[in-house]
Amino acid sequence: MEGTFEPQPYRFTMAEDGALTFVYNPMLKDKVPETVQKAVAEAKAKIITGELKVSQTYLTEENK
């Protein structure tokens, strides 16, 4: 609206920008075993620190 937008490609990674978010449905969380919730939290922490590598695909015109 102010004429200041500049188009550019944006890149989000799992370890940056909050792109890695996992929220349990409050109505169903009690159905997920505590061991699974712990494993998910541990995997998330490892992804963020870079200990666990996750392949990422970047969307380009060639691979749409």
Side-chain angles (χ1 to χ4, degrees):
M1 291 175 59
E2 296 172 1
T4 59
F5 177 77
E6 294 185 29
Q8 62 181 341
Y10 289 92
R11 181 175 160 222
F12 298 95
T13 66
M14 296 191 68
E16 301 168 358
D17 307 311
L20 179 60
T21 303
F22 188 88
V23 178
Y24 293 96
N25 179 326
M27 301 292 288
L28 300 173
K29 184 176 180 179
D30 63 335
K31 304 221 183 282
V32 180
E34 191 66 36
T35 55
V36 173
Q37 292 182 40
K38 184 179 178 186
V40 169
E42 289 172 356
K44 178 181 176 179
K46 288 179 180 179
I47 291 169
I48 290 171
T49 63
E51 183 180 344
L52 179 59
K53 301 292 182 191
V54 178
S55 64
Q56 298 183 38
T57 302
Y58 300 102
L59 184 60
T60 63
E61 288 299 318
E62 293 83 37
N63 64 6
K64 277 188 176 181

